Amino acid sequence: TIIMITVFLFCVCIDVAKTIVVLDVKPCDDTTDLDAMEQAIRTIEIDGLVWGQAQKVPLAFGLSKLEIGCVIEDEKVKS
């Protein structure tokens, strides 16, 4: 007796819902170290959270704000 075994391979493509978030961090005065603030923010580690680029944007009177982006997977990071 010959037994024939058929194997089916299914490729399941799942779309993962993601959200892009941009944080504006505005300091109280010009003595706030925005580089240290960025490093402190990047220490936040959650499964499904990926930090993006950061930049300093001039505001007024010599003050700058920190803009830092991240991408979160909606199923893994709950609000």
Side-chain angles (χ1 to χ4, degrees), residues 2-4 13 18 26 31-32 41 46-47 55 67 69:
I2 298 175
I3 300 174
M4 185 172 190
C13 296
K18 294 181 180 180
K26 297 177 185 172
T31 61
T32 303
I41 291 170
I46 302 172
D47 186 32
Q55 64 181 358
E67 283 185 355

Side-chain angles (χ1 to χ4, degrees), residues 25-37:
V25 181
K26 297 177 185 172
C28 295
D29 57 21
D30 61 346
T31 61
T32 303
D33 185 5
L34 293 179
D35 293 326
M37 182 68 67

